[in-house]
Amino acid sequence: MDDSAVPRPEPEYPQHWEADILLRDGGTARIRPITPADAGRLVEFYEQVSDQSKYFRFFAPYPRLSDKDVRRFTHHDFVHRVGLAVVVRDRFIATVRYDRIDHDGRPSETGTDAEVAFLVQDAHQGRGVASALLEHIAAVAQERGIRRFQAEVLPENRKMVKVFTDAGYVQRRSFADGVVHLEFDLEPTAASLAVMRAREHRAEARSVQRLLTPRSVAVIGASRRPQTVGRALLRDLLAGFAGDDRPVHAVNRNAAPGTELDGVPVHRSILDIPGPVDLAVIAVPASAVPEAVAECGAHGVQGLVVVTAGYAETGPEGRDRQRALVRQARAAGMRVIGPNAFGLISTDPGRPLNASLAPVLPARGGFGVFCQSGAIGVALLEAAHRRGLGISSFASVGNRADVSGNDLLQYWEEDPATDVVLLYLESFGNPRKFTRIARRLAQAKPVVVVKGARHTGSLPPGHAVPATATGLRDATVDALFQQAGVTRVETITELYDTGELLALQPLPPGDRVAVIGNSDSLGLLTHDACLSAGLRPRTPVDLTTAATGENFRIALDTALSDPGVDAVIAVAIPPIGTSAHAFMGGRLTAPDDPELGSDDPEIAAALLDAGERARAAGKPLVLAHLALTDLPGRLRPGGIPAYPAPERAVRALAHAVHYADWRHRMAAAEETARVPELDRIDEAGARTLVEAALSTRTAIAARTQPGGARITLPDADAAALLARYGVDVSPTLPAPDEESAVRAAATLGYPVALKATAPHLRHRPDLGSVRLDLTGEPGLRRAHRELDALLGGAAQAQLVVQRLAPRGVDTVIGATVDPAVGAILSFGLAGAPAELLGDVAHRLVPATDQDVASLVREVRAAPLLFGWRGAEAVDTDALEELLLRVSRLVDDLPEVASVDLEPVVVAPHGLAILGARVRIAPLPVRSDLGPRAMSTL
């Protein structure tokens, strides 16, 4: 029978290959597989391609596609032949196709090579379309078992040659018969990931820039009623945006012909507006939004601010509406702020924009501000206004369905007007990406964050968050912030306290603080606050309440000139004379001196002079004052932060010290930090053990259980896996009865320990489940009988014998894979410090030698490791090496879901691992290593 006559079933459509992408100019598009239903789109697309581009694709004049060509390019099996298209407004703008081939270049169904070819409409060349297509077709090919692409390109097709050569893959290049032949492996490399992320950065930064700098804006939903949201948005826009070259338009479906609002003609549809509209602010009922978005897409709008509520914050139906909104906007090339957004602000003096519900455009300044809550957005803007601080740009994005904090971080990294980034976050859409971007940004600009919704289960409704990020532990968030150089604060007040100091003062070179002022009591309070914050203050210099401006000037100059001082806190109270005083209006005033204000101009002048010297010396100067309500205003021109309480000044300074130290360590780490080469590493052997464990019947059955497929390895298997990475667990032998215990001790050698390993007794010496220092058979037998009686039987307690470890400090080491952020390495002292007090430090994996050194020293109980109260210091070098080995293991083997070593007894020489538990799971999906794609939550 002729098999070719048997019709093949239609291949299953690979829905997961669809993705929204950002292009180089900030526009959006959708990548999806090409199907037979796309025949008409393909023909229309090809007609829009120039003759030269067709020649570059087919190496010959090819004016039109035949019916056979159309069938070939639209019928794919999605395995050996795959075609992808980039779609905008339901039209193709680019295509790519691969065909599997063998080593001789012939069609194949078993080869691991494929021939790839692109075609991009001329109007869309230069937008990064082909680069994005290459990333996605490469990921598809890898999924289908293809390991290498081949391409033939005419030498004069320099744009396409550049697409391949700039991609960062390992390449081989040759030239024959007038054609450039390229071969490149598809395995991601450090270079290809760097290229991908650099393109992602440029595209996301550009997309935000387009939103903040529109040439024209339309308010859809502007109403005649002054109290409506749409009318308020129109008024706010007109206050700073309108002009002959930057028009504002009003749209209201029910407007009568000739209607004007605030001097602006009202159109019934955005399609009626002559000329382009870059940004549309939508304030219509949720039911009317889809029509408004469709018209915006048809008119070529680049971005939307959707103030309308009624989306994911209302429940599942609202979330479906939200997803449909984002899909509709992206398909038309538009980005979305919102829905349920407060709005978008730019204070660029040449192109101001207030597309928000804020009634007044903030002052110009160096703060980039992002938040997810409209109410918090109001508070942030009000706080900046009250403190006289300016803003470069502001975004309050509501449900964060599309544009997120990560996008704004990308933009602010490039924005010369932004000096400090302030964030109010309630959730993370992509914590891995946030860490990567924030770490890069914080090396140049401070990032200060208030994290709301700290506790699991308090995630605000409506936020677009993947399931893996909903249960992000606060300790994980702290580790994420710490390694990214992000300064975490507790309140909005502290956010601006810290941001103001970081924006206006130099970073402190160290933590040594001089305290100088005219109040001994206030100086002592400041000194104590410094100690509590981990700073090293000098004894306060008290100038007495009679101090003059000259006294301040001399004392401040002395401190700033001292090489042993890194920062100065001036403390001041109102000048107090010898005559009677009355407390009036929040200040001390002399009844016979009505000209006496709430500060001393001479002290202000001295502080301003000292501020200039402090800036020249690279040392921050801040003021802590009481009741001097006019003094902050006098100091503002000199950029000296003034705080009405000493603890606020100290907290801000402490944050600056920690941030400066992080910057210094990051700069040094680029030169010195490394992941050391370790001996006794058998990655291949470890991988074989993991694969075997995952293929067992128990592991396969576990995949169907609620909560995933994490499998706890038997103790022997866990020890074997750890040994492949040079992590030696002290062996144990079962002791179900006395005779077994005696034989086990003889095998291991005395002295030994006898302990229970049942899950409910493990690591619970407080329950009497351990006997130590057993030096002979009589003592061992007696201990066995005692535990057998105490714990309800040796079998139930799962008694084991283990060789006694040398005396030292009990510690606990762990590594856990958080699906949202990756692997996290943890360290603490065993028992109460870690379990009761939460004294555990964390680092993201892979950890460097400097990471593990700081990890060991970060826990509050660390002095116990370094000879506290005359005890002998333990072998921290061995401890740090063990941490590096665990980090390497979980980094090499992503199937390892967690490793717990407890206790690890660190002795003066060496250490002993007395307990270990390893859990594994099928290989997780690493979205941060795949092709660029926008979130579809």
Side-chain angles (χ1 to χ4, degrees):
M1 182 178 177
D2 184 3
D3 290 340
S4 64
V6 179
R8 295 188 177 185
E10 285 292 323
E12 183 177 354
Y13 181 77
Q15 183 75 38
H16 64 287
W17 292 352
E18 293 191 3
D20 295 323
I21 60 169
L22 267 179
L23 302 178
R24 183 180 300 157
D25 60 2
T28 64
R30 188 162 186 81
I31 289 180
R32 65 169 177 82
I34 299 173
T35 70
D38 291 317
R41 294 184 184 88
L42 182 67
V43 171
E44 180 187 22
F45 156 75
Y46 195 77
E47 290 173 349
Q48 302 298 317
V49 176
S50 70
D51 290 339
Q52 183 185 52
S53 293
K54 293 173 181 175
Y55 182 85
F56 285 160
R57 169 65 177 86
F58 293 105
F59 298 3
Y62 216 93
R64 64 186 57 85
L65 296 175
S66 67
D67 291 343
K68 183 178 179 181
D69 291 329
V70 172
R71 178 175 175 81
R72 177 190 171 206
F73 292 133
T74 57
H75 285 68
H76 306 97
D77 61 11
F78 301 131
V79 178
H80 311 300
R81 297 177 303 284
V82 173
L84 301 180
V86 180
V87 186
V88 176
R89 299 187 182 95
D90 202 35
R91 294 181 177 179
F92 286 4
I93 65 169
T95 62
V96 65
R97 175 186 168 96
Y98 81 66
D99 291 89
R100 191 188 297 265
I101 57 176
D102 60 20
H103 290 298
D104 297 322
R106 295 184 298 245
S108 169
E109 294 190 355
T110 59
T112 58
D113 285 19
E115 189 174 42
V116 65
F118 296 80
L119 186 59
V120 181
Q121 277 185 358
D122 298 67
H124 296 279
Q125 292 177 10
R127 301 183 67 197
V129 177
S131 299
L133 267 179
L134 177 57
E135 292 176 17
H136 283 263
I137 196 70
V140 166
Q142 280 194 293
E143 181 183 326
R144 295 313 195 201
I146 290 171
R147 299 290 173 259
R148 182 171 57 181
F149 271 165
Q150 298 185 29
E152 293 190 340
V153 186
L154 292 174
E156 55 267 38
N157 191 0
R158 288 185 290 272
K159 290 181 180 179
M160 188 52 62
V161 172
K162 184 174 175 59
V163 167
F164 290 122
T165 57
D166 287 354
Y169 295 106
V170 176
Q171 298 186 9
R172 289 164 293 281
R173 186 172 178 176
S174 60
F175 181 80
D177 300 325
V179 174
V180 177
H181 184 81
L182 294 166
E183 296 181 2
F184 50 96
D185 298 330
L186 300 183
E187 186 66 27
T189 65
S192 68
L193 288 174
V195 168
M196 181 178 68
R197 287 169 178 170
R199 289 169 174 165
E200 172 191 71
H201 167 68
R202 287 193 299 269
E204 292 178 357
R206 175 59 181 149
S207 73
V208 174
Q209 183 185 38
R210 294 205 317 178
L211 291 168
L212 287 168
T213 57
R215 294 163 297 177
S216 60
V217 181
V219 178
I220 301 176
S223 170
R224 289 182 299 175
R225 291 173 294 177
Q227 71 274 19
T228 59
V229 170
R231 186 65 176 276
L233 288 165
L234 181 63
R235 286 196 304 268
D236 297 342
L237 268 170
L238 290 170
F241 188 88
D244 292 339
D245 58 337
R246 304 176 74 226
V248 172
H249 306 281
V251 177
N252 188 307
R253 178 69 64 193
N254 301 316
T259 301
E260 288 192 359
L261 293 175
D262 299 315
V264 176
V266 182
H267 303 274
R268 293 176 62 86
S269 167
I270 197 171
L271 297 173
D272 298 333
I273 297 174
V277 175
D278 292 338
L279 180 69
V281 185
I282 298 179
V284 298
S287 60
V289 169
E291 182 181 3
V293 172
E295 293 181 351
C296 288
H299 197 64
V301 173
Q302 296 178 350
L304 307 174
V305 176
V306 182
V307 179
T308 304
Y311 287 88
E313 76 278 8
T314 64
E317 291 184 4
R319 183 171 295 281
D320 290 341
R321 285 195 297 272
Q322 183 167 296
R323 289 172 175 157
L325 163 66
V326 173
R327 284 196 301 269
Q328 184 184 14
R330 288 177 179 173
M334 300 180 290
R335 298 219 68 182
V336 179
I337 297 283
N340 195 24
F342 183 78
L344 198 62
I345 293 174
S346 170
T347 61
D348 185 339
R351 294 174 292 183
L353 171 71
N354 185 9
S356 79
L357 294 170
V360 179
L361 189 72
R364 180 68 167 170
F367 289 104
V369 182
F370 172 88
C371 67
Q372 295 167 314
S373 161
I376 297 297
V378 172
L380 289 169
L381 292 173
E382 192 276 333
H385 174 74
R386 178 166 31 85
R387 299 170 73 125
L389 301 175
I391 287 171
S392 61
S393 50
F394 165 91
S396 179
V397 299
N399 292 2
R400 191 176 43 75
D402 180 24
V403 174
S404 71
N406 288 343
D407 296 295
L408 271 296
L409 291 178
Q410 302 273 37
Y411 169 73
W412 283 322
E413 183 179 358
E414 300 294 325
D415 180 28
T418 300
D419 301 318
V420 177
V421 172
L422 306 181
L423 307 175
Y424 171 78
L425 300 178
E426 293 173 339
S427 62
F428 293 95
N430 189 336
R432 286 181 193 261
K433 185 175 177 180
F434 173 87
T435 305
R436 171 166 47 85
I437 298 171
R439 185 181 182 123
R440 188 180 66 234
L441 172 59
Q443 293 180 61
K445 301 178 182 183
V447 180
V448 189
V449 174
V450 174
K451 174 65 172 68
R454 296 181 63 142
H455 303 291
T456 301
S458 59
L459 186 69
H463 284 212
V465 176
T468 55
T470 56
L472 209 57
R473 295 183 306 157
D474 203 55
T476 302
V477 174
D478 271 336
L480 182 154
F481 285 158
Q482 185 176 29
Q483 284 200 259
V486 172
T487 299
R488 182 174 188 173
V489 298
E490 301 299 320
T491 65
I492 291 175
T493 298
E494 193 178 355
L495 182 77
Y496 275 113
D497 283 349
T498 305
E500 184 176 8
L501 191 155
L502 291 169
L504 301 179
Q505 292 291 307
L507 291 177
D511 60 359
R512 301 166 300 178
V513 182
V515 181
I516 298 167
N518 64 356
S519 168
D520 181 45
S521 298
L522 193 57
L524 289 174
L525 287 173
T526 305
H527 180 272
D528 290 346
C530 287
L531 290 174
S532 298
L535 303 178
R536 293 188 291 165
R538 290 189 164 190
T539 302
V541 176
D542 179 23
L543 304 177
T544 78
T545 56
T548 64
E550 185 63 22
N551 297 141
F552 268 91
R553 184 176 284 105
I554 294 171
L556 291 170
D557 187 54
T558 300
L560 290 168
S561 302
D562 189 337
V565 172
D566 299 313
V568 177
I569 301 177
V571 298
I573 62 172
I576 302 175
T578 58
S579 59
H581 289 76
F583 186 75
M584 300 174 58
R587 65 184 65 176
L588 284 171
T589 58
D592 57 349
D593 188 5
E595 298 299 321
L596 186 61
S598 66
D599 68 350
D600 185 333
E602 292 186 4
I603 294 178
L607 287 167
L608 289 170
D609 289 345
E612 295 180 4
R613 294 194 297 276
R615 202 165 277 106
K619 301 177 180 181
L621 169 64
V622 301
L623 172 70
H625 69 92
L626 293 180
L628 294 172
T629 54
D630 294 340
L631 188 55
R634 292 183 186 272
L635 300 181
R636 191 168 295 135
I640 300 175
Y643 304 97
E647 57 273 11
R648 286 176 55 181
V650 170
R651 276 198 299 265
L653 180 60
H655 287 311
V657 167
H658 296 151
Y659 172 63
D661 178 64
W662 179 85
R663 288 264 295 257
H664 175 75
R665 286 187 286 108
M666 282 296 296
E670 292 182 359
E671 302 294 331
T672 60
R674 61 193 181 91
V675 178
E677 288 294 325
L678 300 169
D679 60 357
R680 300 176 58 207
I681 301 293
D682 180 10
E683 181 180 347
R687 192 172 300 282
T688 299
L689 289 176
V690 170
E691 290 173 353
L694 286 173
S695 64
T696 63
R697 185 174 301 174
T698 301
I700 294 171
R703 301 184 190 188
T704 64
Q705 300 302 312
R710 292 194 173 193
I711 305 106
T712 300
L713 294 180
D715 289 348
D717 293 350
L721 175 61
L722 291 167
R724 295 295 194 278
Y725 275 77
V727 178
D728 297 318
V729 181
S730 182
T732 61
L733 294 175
D737 52 55
E738 284 187 35
E739 299 307 320
S740 299
V742 170
R743 287 194 299 272
T747 301
L748 296 173
Y750 288 99
V752 297
L754 181 68
K755 64 181 183 179
T757 60
H760 65 289
L761 297 172
R762 189 184 289 249
H763 310 311
R764 291 298 307 274
D766 55 308
L767 298 180
S769 59
V770 179
R771 295 292 186 270
L772 303 175
D773 292 318
L774 304 175
T775 58
E777 182 178 332
L780 176 59
R781 288 183 179 276
R782 183 171 55 254
H784 195 282
R785 290 193 295 270
E786 290 174 356
L787 291 183
D788 182 76
L790 177 66
L791 303 176
Q796 180 177 341
Q798 298 178 25
L799 295 181
V800 298
V801 174
Q802 189 171 45
R803 184 169 176 79
L804 190 69
R807 295 191 179 276
V809 178
D810 288 2
T811 65
V812 56
I813 290 173
T816 303
V817 176
D818 188 302
V821 300
I824 300 170
L825 185 67
S826 304
F827 171 76
L829 268 63
E835 297 175 17
L836 181 62
L837 303 178
D839 187 18
V840 180
H842 308 275
R843 291 292 184 275
L844 300 181
V845 169
T848 67
D849 54 353
Q850 294 185 11
D851 287 331
V852 297
S854 63
L855 184 67
V856 167
R857 290 156 178 79
E858 185 175 308
V859 295
R860 296 189 298 277
L864 293 173
L865 302 169
F866 296 95
W868 187 63
R869 288 189 172 181
E872 188 175 2
V874 301
D875 192 347
T876 53
D877 288 343
L879 179 60
E880 291 169 17
E881 180 181 321
L882 176 58
L883 286 163
L884 286 169
R885 290 183 181 277
V886 174
S887 170
R888 172 78 179 271
L889 186 152
V890 295
D891 191 44
D892 286 349
L893 305 173
E895 299 91 344
V896 175
S898 68
V899 174
D900 294 295
L901 307 180
E902 183 181 3
V904 177
V905 182
V906 189
H909 302 287
L911 53 76
I913 304 168
L914 303 186
R917 186 177 71 163
V918 177
R919 302 178 73 191
I920 60 173
L923 184 65
V925 176
R926 286 288 303 274
S927 59
D928 58 323
L929 299 181
R932 288 173 288 156
M934 303 169 75
S935 170
T936 56
L937 297 171

